[in-house]
Amino acid sequence: MVYYHRLGEIPHKRHTAFRQEDGSIYQEHLMGYGFYGLKSLLYTLRPPTELRGVERIEEFNWEPDPDPTLRLRHLRTHSLASAGKSPTLDRTPLLFNDDVGISIARPAAGEDVFYRNGQGDEIVFVTEGEGVLESQMGELDFRQGDYLVIPKGIIHRYRLKTLENIFFIIESRGYVRSPDRYRSTHGQLLEHSPYCERDIRPPSRLITQIATDEVPIIVKSRNGLQRMTLCHHPFDTIGWDGYYYPWAFNIGDFEPITGRIHQPPPVHQTFEGDGFVVCSFVPRLFDYHPESIPAPYNHSNIGSDEAIYYCSEEFMSRKGIECGSITLHPDGMPHGPHPGKAEASIGLQETRETAVMVDTFKPLMVAKTALPCEDKNYQTSWLEHTK
Ligand SMILES: [Fe+2]
């Protein structure tokens, strides 16, 4: 995805001697999908291979809800107790399958550990907070409403400026990209795409760190964590170029596609990965057919599990949700607007809702750690008119 970007100093010709002032050569480092995929070429002060040691420190075991009953579910995730202070290490698992892992974190202000997710791309939605994402490719400022997309394997560190921070995190086994239908065969986003390259923010400042103290880097790999001790600062890049880097896209820059009648969720699609898509519901004008019903119709989508994370108190088709709610409508279970919501939407001009939807094509498991925030009355919340 994204586009070619370069920062700092790089040699005119790749794989040639690029010399430091003392005559020694900078280290050249290819990072990305090997010799056949997307990659960047980095030039660093020291070899990325200077490891003092590697040790396994933790195993993960995301346990599913033992109750396999298929039902519509509602989690009030912002009521979960914070697991800790780190945006990378203290995440509370919510939903998962073989393709994606969804979690939430409420990190504290300050500097996090150096982190490398070696088993998944990350989409980190910043529900609340502001800070800087540092990485081997430079610094990237972020703010509320940003999706931070961090491809697998890039060492990074969060510097959080705000006291209240909430991250909604989607980890993807496959590469996260813009939807295929919005990209030309040459990779450029097309005119009908709801966002374009100008909306994508790559790292903008490269600060070359010269420190040679030992630095621990926490690496997520093979469902666990390991500590890798590097003999120098990992952000000693002098320059780089390529297509593989972390980037940000703000949900407020997603241009909604509207119509005379209700537009289906694919118009809100923002990203795709292997086995899932991500959609952004943003403030927008409603449909303009004189008799249109802006609220969605009932639907039973076979082969798709739909998780919606609400970032505002308002959602046109739901009652009883709050900022931080997740509704999960699993495989084929009929769902639709709450009683009265379809009628109430007729004639409305606009919605102020903001929500992130993750649709997966394999069943999503609810993690045991999410059960304390479940609203158990959600499945029967459509029965209001019979009470
Ligand atoms: Fe749905």
Side-chain angles (χ1 to χ4, degrees), residues 338-373:
H338 268 127
K341 280 290 196 181
E343 294 82 348
S345 73
I346 297 170
L348 291 181
Q349 299 295 305
E350 62 177 336
T351 172
R352 306 301 303 164
E353 70 189 19
T354 304
V356 174
M357 182 169 83
V358 185
D359 262 13
T360 66
F361 309 124
K362 289 181 194 154
L364 274 172
M365 248 71 82
V366 176
K368 255 187 180 177
T369 42
L371 297 179
C373 72

mmCIF file of all heavy atoms in Angstrom, residues 338-373:
data_model
loop_
_atom_site.group_PDB
_atom_site.id
_atom_site.type_symbol
_atom_site.label_atom_id
_atom_site.label_comp_id
_atom_site.label_asym_id
_atom_site.label_seq_id
_atom_site.Cartn_x
_atom_site.Cartn_y
_atom_site.Cartn_z
ATOM 1 N N HIS A 338 -32.610 -1.142 15.865
ATOM 2 C CA HIS A 338 -33.415 -1.338 17.069
ATOM 3 C C HIS A 338 -34.826 -0.789 16.838
ATOM 4 O O HIS A 338 -35.030 0.065 15.970
ATOM 5 C CB HIS A 338 -32.757 -0.626 18.256
ATOM 6 C CG HIS A 338 -31.834 -1.522 19.031
ATOM 7 N ND1 HIS A 338 -30.533 -1.189 19.298
ATOM 8 C CD2 HIS A 338 -32.039 -2.743 19.604
ATOM 9 C CE1 HIS A 338 -29.966 -2.168 20.006
ATOM 10 N NE2 HIS A 338 -30.859 -3.112 20.200
ATOM 11 N N PRO A 339 -35.799 -1.288 17.604
ATOM 12 C CA PRO A 339 -37.177 -0.831 17.412
ATOM 13 C C PRO A 339 -37.271 0.696 17.408
ATOM 14 O O PRO A 339 -36.721 1.361 18.281
ATOM 15 C CB PRO A 339 -37.912 -1.421 18.623
ATOM 16 C CG PRO A 339 -37.111 -2.616 18.994
ATOM 17 C CD PRO A 339 -35.693 -2.287 18.667
ATOM 18 N N GLY A 340 -37.948 1.216 16.398
ATOM 19 C CA GLY A 340 -38.167 2.669 16.313
ATOM 20 C C GLY A 340 -37.072 3.406 15.566
ATOM 21 O O GLY A 340 -37.281 4.542 15.115
ATOM 22 N N LYS A 341 -35.905 2.787 15.406
ATOM 23 C CA LYS A 341 -34.778 3.502 14.795
ATOM 24 C C LYS A 341 -34.972 3.719 13.293
ATOM 25 O O LYS A 341 -34.545 4.739 12.748
ATOM 26 C CB LYS A 341 -33.467 2.751 15.054
ATOM 27 C CG LYS A 341 -32.895 3.004 16.449
ATOM 28 C CD LYS A 341 -32.385 4.439 16.549
ATOM 29 C CE LYS A 341 -31.484 4.655 17.730
ATOM 30 N NZ LYS A 341 -31.015 6.048 17.831
ATOM 31 N N ALA A 342 -35.595 2.752 12.598
ATOM 32 C CA ALA A 342 -35.823 2.924 11.155
ATOM 33 C C ALA A 342 -36.784 4.092 10.934
ATOM 34 O O ALA A 342 -36.516 5.009 10.141
ATOM 35 C CB ALA A 342 -36.382 1.641 10.555
ATOM 36 N N GLU A 343 -37.904 4.079 11.665
ATOM 37 C CA GLU A 343 -38.888 5.161 11.531
ATOM 38 C C GLU A 343 -38.275 6.511 11.894
ATOM 39 O O GLU A 343 -38.470 7.513 11.211
ATOM 40 C CB GLU A 343 -40.097 4.912 12.445
ATOM 41 C CG GLU A 343 -40.958 3.700 12.082
ATOM 42 C CD GLU A 343 -40.396 2.375 12.615
ATOM 43 O OE1 GLU A 343 -39.230 2.351 13.074
ATOM 44 O OE2 GLU A 343 -41.110 1.364 12.539
ATOM 45 N N ALA A 344 -37.499 6.496 12.986
ATOM 46 C CA ALA A 344 -36.943 7.765 13.475
ATOM 47 C C ALA A 344 -35.919 8.348 12.498
ATOM 48 O O ALA A 344 -35.667 9.551 12.505
ATOM 49 C CB ALA A 344 -36.296 7.548 14.839
ATOM 50 N N SER A 345 -35.348 7.484 11.660
ATOM 51 C CA SER A 345 -34.309 7.993 10.754
ATOM 52 C C SER A 345 -34.890 8.668 9.519
ATOM 53 O O SER A 345 -34.193 9.415 8.831
ATOM 54 C CB SER A 345 -33.389 6.839 10.325
ATOM 55 O OG SER A 345 -34.046 5.974 9.415
ATOM 56 N N ILE A 346 -36.193 8.408 9.227
ATOM 57 C CA ILE A 346 -36.796 8.979 8.018
ATOM 58 C C ILE A 346 -36.840 10.505 8.140
ATOM 59 O O ILE A 346 -37.314 11.043 9.142
ATOM 60 C CB ILE A 346 -38.217 8.405 7.782
ATOM 61 C CG1 ILE A 346 -38.120 6.889 7.549
ATOM 62 C CG2 ILE A 346 -38.906 9.087 6.608
ATOM 63 C CD1 ILE A 346 -39.465 6.172 7.533
ATOM 64 N N GLY A 347 -36.336 11.159 7.131
ATOM 65 C CA GLY A 347 -36.365 12.630 7.115
ATOM 66 C C GLY A 347 -35.181 13.285 7.802
ATOM 67 O O GLY A 347 -35.004 14.501 7.702
ATOM 68 N N LEU A 348 -34.358 12.495 8.510
ATOM 69 C CA LEU A 348 -33.171 13.101 9.142
ATOM 70 C C LEU A 348 -32.169 13.509 8.071
ATOM 71 O O LEU A 348 -32.039 12.853 7.033
ATOM 72 C CB LEU A 348 -32.520 12.119 10.121
ATOM 73 C CG LEU A 348 -33.297 11.802 11.408
ATOM 74 C CD1 LEU A 348 -32.499 10.843 12.286
ATOM 75 C CD2 LEU A 348 -33.634 13.076 12.178
ATOM 76 N N GLN A 349 -31.481 14.581 8.340
ATOM 77 C CA GLN A 349 -30.566 15.139 7.338
ATOM 78 C C GLN A 349 -29.155 14.572 7.432
ATOM 79 O O GLN A 349 -28.448 14.492 6.444
ATOM 80 C CB GLN A 349 -30.482 16.669 7.513
ATOM 81 C CG GLN A 349 -31.808 17.383 7.335
ATOM 82 C CD GLN A 349 -32.328 17.240 5.902
ATOM 83 O OE1 GLN A 349 -31.641 17.577 4.958
ATOM 84 N NE2 GLN A 349 -33.537 16.721 5.761
ATOM 85 N N GLU A 350 -28.733 14.252 8.652
ATOM 86 C CA GLU A 350 -27.329 13.854 8.801
ATOM 87 C C GLU A 350 -27.141 13.018 10.065
ATOM 88 O O GLU A 350 -28.004 12.983 10.935
ATOM 89 C CB GLU A 350 -26.422 15.082 8.876
ATOM 90 C CG GLU A 350 -26.724 15.973 10.065
ATOM 91 C CD GLU A 350 -25.762 17.162 10.168
ATOM 92 O OE1 GLU A 350 -24.635 17.080 9.642
ATOM 93 O OE2 GLU A 350 -26.157 18.160 10.787
ATOM 94 N N THR A 351 -25.995 12.362 10.150
ATOM 95 C CA THR A 351 -25.608 11.646 11.366
ATOM 96 C C THR A 351 -24.236 12.144 11.799
ATOM 97 O O THR A 351 -23.416 12.513 10.965
ATOM 98 C CB THR A 351 -25.566 10.116 11.141
ATOM 99 O OG1 THR A 351 -25.006 9.505 12.315
ATOM 100 C CG2 THR A 351 -24.697 9.720 9.958
ATOM 101 N N ARG A 352 -24.024 12.151 13.117
ATOM 102 C CA ARG A 352 -22.716 12.563 13.665
ATOM 103 C C ARG A 352 -21.937 11.345 14.162
ATOM 104 O O ARG A 352 -20.952 11.495 14.883
ATOM 105 C CB ARG A 352 -22.918 13.558 14.837
ATOM 106 C CG ARG A 352 -23.757 14.771 14.535
ATOM 107 C CD ARG A 352 -23.198 15.615 13.418
ATOM 108 N NE ARG A 352 -21.833 16.066 13.656
ATOM 109 C CZ ARG A 352 -21.028 16.555 12.715
ATOM 110 N NH1 ARG A 352 -21.447 16.636 11.466
ATOM 111 N NH2 ARG A 352 -19.809 16.943 13.006
ATOM 112 N N GLU A 353 -22.359 10.156 13.794
ATOM 113 C CA GLU A 353 -21.737 8.944 14.344
ATOM 114 C C GLU A 353 -20.292 8.768 13.873
ATOM 115 O O GLU A 353 -19.911 9.188 12.777
ATOM 116 C CB GLU A 353 -22.549 7.712 13.935
ATOM 117 C CG GLU A 353 -22.446 7.390 12.456
ATOM 118 C CD GLU A 353 -23.422 6.308 12.010
ATOM 119 O OE1 GLU A 353 -24.405 6.051 12.713
ATOM 120 O OE2 GLU A 353 -23.198 5.735 10.927
ATOM 121 N N THR A 354 -19.505 8.146 14.726
ATOM 122 C CA THR A 354 -18.155 7.702 14.345
ATOM 123 C C THR A 354 -17.990 6.287 14.890
ATOM 124 O O THR A 354 -18.228 6.042 16.080
ATOM 125 C CB THR A 354 -17.067 8.609 14.957
ATOM 126 O OG1 THR A 354 -17.323 9.947 14.558
ATOM 127 C CG2 THR A 354 -15.687 8.206 14.465
ATOM 128 N N ALA A 355 -17.601 5.384 14.023
ATOM 129 C CA ALA A 355 -17.416 3.994 14.446
ATOM 130 C C ALA A 355 -16.469 3.292 13.490
ATOM 131 O O ALA A 355 -16.328 3.693 12.334
ATOM 132 C CB ALA A 355 -18.763 3.265 14.490
ATOM 133 N N VAL A 356 -15.810 2.275 14.011
ATOM 134 C CA VAL A 356 -14.883 1.462 13.221
ATOM 135 C C VAL A 356 -15.445 0.047 13.185
ATOM 136 O O VAL A 356 -15.733 -0.525 14.237
ATOM 137 C CB VAL A 356 -13.480 1.447 13.876
ATOM 138 C CG1 VAL A 356 -12.545 0.486 13.134
ATOM 139 C CG2 VAL A 356 -12.891 2.854 13.927
ATOM 140 N N MET A 357 -15.618 -0.479 11.996
ATOM 141 C CA MET A 357 -16.170 -1.836 11.883
ATOM 142 C C MET A 357 -15.099 -2.793 11.358
ATOM 143 O O MET A 357 -14.363 -2.456 10.431
ATOM 144 C CB MET A 357 -17.368 -1.840 10.946
ATOM 145 C CG MET A 357 -18.018 -3.213 10.821
ATOM 146 S SD MET A 357 -19.592 -3.165 9.970
ATOM 147 C CE MET A 357 -19.056 -3.200 8.271
ATOM 148 N N VAL A 358 -15.029 -3.956 11.984
ATOM 149 C CA VAL A 358 -14.140 -5.015 11.498
ATOM 150 C C VAL A 358 -15.037 -6.182 11.097
ATOM 151 O O VAL A 358 -15.735 -6.744 11.935
ATOM 152 C CB VAL A 358 -13.146 -5.464 12.595
ATOM 153 C CG1 VAL A 358 -12.156 -6.478 12.026
ATOM 154 C CG2 VAL A 358 -12.398 -4.269 13.186
ATOM 155 N N ASP A 359 -15.039 -6.508 9.830
ATOM 156 C CA ASP A 359 -15.791 -7.660 9.321
ATOM 157 C C ASP A 359 -14.803 -8.773 9.027
ATOM 158 O O ASP A 359 -13.869 -8.565 8.242
ATOM 159 C CB ASP A 359 -16.491 -7.294 8.010
ATOM 160 C CG ASP A 359 -17.944 -6.933 8.217
ATOM 161 O OD1 ASP A 359 -18.346 -6.737 9.369
ATOM 162 O OD2 ASP A 359 -18.676 -6.839 7.207
ATOM 163 N N THR A 360 -15.001 -9.915 9.651
ATOM 164 C CA THR A 360 -14.073 -11.027 9.408
ATOM 165 C C THR A 360 -14.796 -12.142 8.667
ATOM 166 O O THR A 360 -16.025 -12.260 8.745
ATOM 167 C CB THR A 360 -13.515 -11.585 10.735
ATOM 168 O OG1 THR A 360 -14.586 -12.188 11.469
ATOM 169 C CG2 THR A 360 -12.874 -10.495 11.572
ATOM 170 N N PHE A 361 -14.041 -12.951 7.971
ATOM 171 C CA PHE A 361 -14.648 -14.014 7.176
ATOM 172 C C PHE A 361 -14.507 -15.386 7.839
ATOM 173 O O PHE A 361 -15.010 -16.380 7.339
ATOM 174 C CB PHE A 361 -14.076 -13.983 5.753
ATOM 175 C CG PHE A 361 -14.158 -12.590 5.178
ATOM 176 C CD1 PHE A 361 -13.039 -11.932 4.697
ATOM 177 C CD2 PHE A 361 -15.361 -11.899 5.210
ATOM 178 C CE1 PHE A 361 -13.120 -10.628 4.235
ATOM 179 C CE2 PHE A 361 -15.456 -10.595 4.738
ATOM 180 C CZ PHE A 361 -14.332 -9.954 4.251
ATOM 181 N N LYS A 362 -13.811 -15.407 8.966
ATOM 182 C CA LYS A 362 -13.812 -16.594 9.828
ATOM 183 C C LYS A 362 -14.456 -16.172 11.139
ATOM 184 O O LYS A 362 -14.361 -14.984 11.512
ATOM 185 C CB LYS A 362 -12.384 -17.076 10.104
ATOM 186 C CG LYS A 362 -11.690 -17.714 8.921
ATOM 187 C CD LYS A 362 -10.295 -18.165 9.317
ATOM 188 C CE LYS A 362 -9.463 -18.479 8.095
ATOM 189 N NZ LYS A 362 -8.022 -18.329 8.344
ATOM 190 N N PRO A 363 -15.063 -17.114 11.865
ATOM 191 C CA PRO A 363 -15.742 -16.725 13.112
ATOM 192 C C PRO A 363 -14.798 -16.063 14.106
ATOM 193 O O PRO A 363 -13.646 -16.459 14.242
ATOM 194 C CB PRO A 363 -16.229 -18.072 13.660
ATOM 195 C CG PRO A 363 -16.286 -18.979 12.487
ATOM 196 C CD PRO A 363 -15.210 -18.527 11.543
ATOM 197 N N LEU A 364 -15.328 -15.044 14.770
ATOM 198 C CA LEU A 364 -14.567 -14.354 15.814
ATOM 199 C C LEU A 364 -14.904 -14.967 17.166
ATOM 200 O O LEU A 364 -16.079 -15.200 17.479
ATOM 201 C CB LEU A 364 -14.946 -12.876 15.854
ATOM 202 C CG LEU A 364 -14.207 -11.926 14.908
ATOM 203 C CD1 LEU A 364 -14.857 -10.556 14.943
ATOM 204 C CD2 LEU A 364 -12.716 -11.845 15.244
ATOM 205 N N MET A 365 -13.887 -15.190 17.950
ATOM 206 C CA MET A 365 -14.074 -15.677 19.315
ATOM 207 C C MET A 365 -14.075 -14.468 20.248
ATOM 208 O O MET A 365 -13.276 -13.539 20.045
ATOM 209 C CB MET A 365 -12.894 -16.567 19.710
ATOM 210 C CG MET A 365 -13.227 -18.018 19.888
ATOM 211 S SD MET A 365 -13.581 -18.863 18.374
ATOM 212 C CE MET A 365 -11.928 -19.211 17.822
ATOM 213 N N VAL A 366 -14.932 -14.497 21.265
ATOM 214 C CA VAL A 366 -14.854 -13.469 22.302
ATOM 215 C C VAL A 366 -13.835 -13.960 23.329
ATOM 216 O O VAL A 366 -13.913 -15.088 23.804
ATOM 217 C CB VAL A 366 -16.225 -13.233 22.963
ATOM 218 C CG1 VAL A 366 -16.106 -12.242 24.114
ATOM 219 C CG2 VAL A 366 -17.238 -12.733 21.932
ATOM 220 N N ALA A 367 -12.874 -13.098 23.647
ATOM 221 C CA ALA A 367 -11.846 -13.491 24.620
ATOM 222 C C ALA A 367 -12.439 -13.500 26.032
ATOM 223 O O ALA A 367 -13.296 -12.664 26.358
ATOM 224 C CB ALA A 367 -10.671 -12.515 24.555
ATOM 225 N N LYS A 368 -11.955 -14.411 26.849
ATOM 226 C CA LYS A 368 -12.410 -14.499 28.246
ATOM 227 C C LYS A 368 -12.218 -13.167 28.969
ATOM 228 O O LYS A 368 -13.019 -12.777 29.812
ATOM 229 C CB LYS A 368 -11.589 -15.562 28.976
ATOM 230 C CG LYS A 368 -12.303 -16.848 29.242
ATOM 231 C CD LYS A 368 -11.415 -17.730 30.111
ATOM 232 C CE LYS A 368 -12.087 -19.046 30.403
ATOM 233 N NZ LYS A 368 -11.227 -19.935 31.184
ATOM 234 N N THR A 369 -11.124 -12.475 28.603
ATOM 235 C CA THR A 369 -10.810 -11.207 29.280
ATOM 236 C C THR A 369 -11.826 -10.111 28.974
ATOM 237 O O THR A 369 -11.843 -9.077 29.644
ATOM 238 C CB THR A 369 -9.406 -10.725 28.861
ATOM 239 O OG1 THR A 369 -9.255 -10.928 27.455
ATOM 240 C CG2 THR A 369 -8.316 -11.466 29.596
ATOM 241 N N ALA A 370 -12.659 -10.319 27.945
ATOM 242 C CA ALA A 370 -13.663 -9.301 27.606
ATOM 243 C C ALA A 370 -14.989 -9.551 28.315
ATOM 244 O O ALA A 370 -15.863 -8.679 28.348
ATOM 245 C CB ALA A 370 -13.884 -9.282 26.094
ATOM 246 N N LEU A 371 -15.151 -10.742 28.885
ATOM 247 C CA LEU A 371 -16.455 -11.104 29.447
ATOM 248 C C LEU A 371 -16.932 -10.188 30.582
ATOM 249 O O LEU A 371 -18.138 -9.935 30.687
ATOM 250 C CB LEU A 371 -16.449 -12.573 29.908
ATOM 251 C CG LEU A 371 -16.222 -13.591 28.774
ATOM 252 C CD1 LEU A 371 -16.200 -15.005 29.325
ATOM 253 C CD2 LEU A 371 -17.294 -13.445 27.688
ATOM 254 N N PRO A 372 -16.032 -9.655 31.418
ATOM 255 C CA PRO A 372 -16.531 -8.789 32.496
ATOM 256 C C PRO A 372 -17.266 -7.539 32.003
ATOM 257 O O PRO A 372 -18.026 -6.939 32.769
ATOM 258 C CB PRO A 372 -15.246 -8.385 33.253
ATOM 259 C CG PRO A 372 -14.263 -9.463 32.946
ATOM 260 C CD PRO A 372 -14.590 -9.920 31.558
ATOM 261 N N CYS A 373 -17.073 -7.154 30.745
ATOM 262 C CA CYS A 373 -17.745 -5.923 30.281
ATOM 263 C C CYS A 373 -18.911 -6.241 29.350
ATOM 264 O O CYS A 373 -19.418 -5.362 28.679
ATOM 265 C CB CYS A 373 -16.741 -4.981 29.613
ATOM 266 S SG CYS A 373 -16.172 -5.531 27.998
#
